[in-house]
Amino acid sequence: EEVPMNPTLTVDVTADVAYLRLDEGEVARTCEASPSVYVDLDKFDVVVGVEVLALDALIPYSELATKFHVRQEHLKFLEQIRPTVTSFVTRQPGSEQLSKGARNGVPA
């Protein structure tokens, strides 16, 4: 039985980008969810990752939940990220370190 991975959030404040890795599946294609948010889909069109190309970009949660196939447990993780990656990260303990560079593996 395959053990599902815990979602991770990798943030690079210098580049103003973030990546939410939801699943270990291989990326088959990428689709635009909004002008600054792209989703990586596996061969079954299940979301395995979300690329955020501007940390202040609004995460289109309802769009992700209705237009793309996102596992229920991953929707809960994505809901925590709303409205933006910046707002999520600043709510996390230790977020004062963000100004010094990338922060990896922010837990769900």
Side-chain angles (χ1 to χ4, degrees), residues 10-14 97-98 100-104:
T10 303
V11 177
D12 185 332
V13 293
T14 304
Q97 297 173 354
L98 274 178
K100 297 176 184 167
R103 178 163 179 196
N104 294 313

Side-chain angles (χ1 to χ4, degrees), residues 10-50:
T10 303
V11 177
D12 185 332
V13 293
T14 304
D16 193 37
V17 297
Y19 189 72
L20 292 82
R21 184 69 176 180
L22 301 177
D23 201 292
E24 292 178 353
E26 189 174 314
V27 177
R29 66 189 183 105
T30 302
C31 295
E32 182 178 290
S34 73
S36 295
V37 179
Y38 289 79
V39 292
D40 289 335
L41 306 170
D42 68 11
K43 64 183 177 182
F44 302 108
D45 282 340
V46 175
V47 176
V48 295
V50 179

Side-chain angles (χ1 to χ4, degrees), residues 69-88:
H69 183 80
V70 181
R71 291 188 170 90
Q72 192 63 38
E73 62 270 21
H74 295 157
L75 279 175
K76 292 175 185 173
F77 176 68
L78 286 170
E79 192 170 47
Q80 294 176 30
I81 307 296
R82 293 192 307 169
T84 67
V85 171
T86 299
S87 67
F88 171 75

